[in-house]
Amino acid sequence: MTAELDYAVLTSTRQEPQLLPRYRRVLTFGDVLDESVQIFRQHWVSFALVSAVSLLPPGLIGVWLGASGALTQTVSLAEIQSGRLDQNPAILAEMVALFATAIISTFFVLLWTSAVVGASDGFLHGTEPRIGPVYVHAVRRYWAVFLASVLVLVALIVLTMLAIALFVLTGFGIAGSLIALVAVLFWWLKPGAQRSWLKWLIVAVAPFGLPTYFLGRWSMFIPAAVLECHGPLGALRRSSQLVDRHWFRVVSILTVASLIVGVLQWAPVTLIEIPFTISTAARGQIGLAPTEAAIVNAVGVALQVLFASIGSIVYTLVFVDLRNRREATDILERVSLLEADPTLANG
């Protein structure tokens, strides 16, 4: 299998399409967000359909569990005050249901992310990805994405344990924060003095800097696995290679995109949930009734299907932009187009 995505799988075209001209350039922070929103606005129906395939099954399970009362057990204030809360068997059942739902959702979310990344890349290349072929490719790359996710999870657990030890050794983060702040200022004000040891000092002494840093370095592993067909370890190496020297930019863009998607998804849900919570509290109970929980969950699923793809579009465009920045992929595509059709040189 070649290192590049076989676009014949995703589209009906026979030749591998090139990036659209507007994406054959280095994008600024704002450009990435603006272009992503524009792609979403132009193709939001397609993204909603792709999202529905993967997000509706776990979402409907959550709605059903909420309606049946398995995920939402109302607790009276008297029960809390009496200290009998831990004797309520429904609480344990709810915890088990929540854990099972989280596991199921994780499997579907990985598939959904792979599919949306593939669809986004197709639109960046001026094609019209079809749902069937998009998911065929996502399923083919699912094992690599899943194993890479497991590797990231295990590594983050180990790094978090190391970070906790360093957090304690640096005065519960007080001394570590001061050292990291001084080192960051030195790094910023003295570009000529930037050294590898200084970077690792910042990562090591900053509170929980180790897992945060490596999570950013490995953040591009899904596009690497889906679009370039790397294996689990290869996807992590590829991500680390692309993000190197662009860590702050990548993490900042992904953080802002996550906040935007979070507001679009959860602000309406919160506005619906607050009156239900107040109504339940007025009856002397804490928690949502099954019907109310089902309504809240259903609205949350609908908003996720509609808006969650924005984050994955940004995710894909960041990956493409990193390739343009580090490997001049955009220039290579221009050259290949000129070699195929010299008349484009005058265009």
Side-chain angles (χ1 to χ4, degrees):
M1 182 176 293
T2 61
E4 298 295 331
L5 173 62
D6 183 6
Y7 288 98
V9 175
L10 299 181
T11 68
S12 59
T13 57
R14 293 184 177 181
Q15 295 182 347
E16 181 178 321
Q18 304 292 327
L19 277 172
L20 292 176
R22 66 184 304 136
Y23 307 118
R24 292 195 220 120
R25 59 190 174 98
V26 173
L27 301 174
T28 64
F29 189 109
D31 288 338
V32 173
L33 297 178
D34 290 341
E35 294 290 350
S36 299
V37 171
Q38 184 170 343
I39 293 171
F40 173 77
R41 291 178 60 185
Q42 292 174 347
H43 308 287
W44 70 271
V45 174
S46 297
F47 283 114
L49 293 175
V50 171
S51 297
V53 174
S54 295
L55 298 182
L56 278 182
L60 293 177
I61 292 175
V63 172
W64 174 72
L65 290 175
S68 65
L71 291 182
T72 52
Q73 298 294 335
T74 55
V75 181
S76 65
L77 296 176
E79 188 175 8
I80 296 177
Q81 295 172 355
S82 65
R84 299 193 308 270
L85 189 60
D86 57 346
Q87 301 176 6
N88 189 343
I91 301 299
L92 178 60
E94 181 178 352
M95 294 177 61
V96 173
L98 282 171
F99 179 76
T101 303
I103 295 297
I104 295 173
S105 298
T106 299
F107 283 105
F108 277 98
V109 165
L110 289 177
L111 179 63
W112 165 77
T113 306
S114 301
V116 176
V117 165
S120 300
D121 195 63
F123 287 123
L124 292 177
H125 287 77
T127 64
E128 291 291 335
R130 303 190 305 273
I131 295 179
V134 162
Y135 269 99
V136 167
H137 185 74
V139 170
R140 288 176 178 173
R141 302 305 307 154
Y142 186 83
W143 188 239
V145 171
F146 175 76
L147 289 180
S149 302
V150 172
L151 290 175
V152 170
L153 178 61
V154 172
L156 289 179
I157 292 174
V158 174
L159 291 170
T160 300
M161 294 174 64
L162 291 175
I164 292 174
L166 291 170
F167 181 78
V168 174
L169 291 175
T170 57
F172 291 93
I174 298 177
S177 298
L178 292 175
I179 295 173
L181 179 60
V182 172
V184 167
L185 290 175
F186 187 78
W187 180 283
W188 179 46
L189 297 175
K190 298 286 187 179
Q194 295 178 359
R195 297 292 185 272
S196 179
W197 67 266
L198 184 60
K199 179 190 74 173
W200 288 111
L201 175 65
I202 298 171
V203 172
V205 300
F208 297 95
L210 280 171
T212 303
Y213 174 74
F214 279 99
L215 183 60
R217 285 292 293 259
W218 296 329
S219 59
M220 294 289 113
F221 76 91
I222 293 182
V226 174
L227 302 182
E228 296 185 349
C229 297
H230 288 286
L233 290 175
L236 297 182
R237 286 194 296 265
R238 176 62 168 161
S239 175
S240 183
Q241 175 191 27
L242 291 175
V243 177
D244 185 36
R245 299 185 181 276
H246 296 283
W247 188 91
F248 282 106
R249 181 174 180 276
V250 170
V251 172
S252 298
I253 293 175
L254 296 182
T255 300
V256 171
S258 298
L259 291 175
I260 293 174
V261 174
V263 170
L264 291 174
Q265 287 186 217
W266 301 115
V269 173
T270 302
L271 292 177
I272 296 174
E273 188 174 4
I274 288 176
F276 287 153
T277 303
I278 295 175
S279 175
T280 304
R283 299 194 298 267
Q285 294 180 326
I286 296 178
L288 297 179
T291 302
E292 298 168 343
I295 295 174
V296 171
N297 290 338
V299 173
V301 172
L303 292 172
Q304 188 179 21
V305 169
L306 288 175
F307 297 117
S309 57
I310 296 176
S312 294
I313 298 170
V314 174
Y315 186 40
T316 307
L317 195 54
V318 169
F319 181 81
V320 171
D321 181 59
L322 287 173
R323 294 200 302 183
N324 290 343
R325 287 173 177 270
R326 295 192 62 88
E327 301 169 350
T329 305
D330 53 336
I331 297 177
L332 293 176
E333 290 199 351
R334 291 173 189 264
V335 172
S336 65
L337 284 175
L338 291 175
E339 290 177 347
D341 188 0
T343 60
L344 294 175
N346 299 323

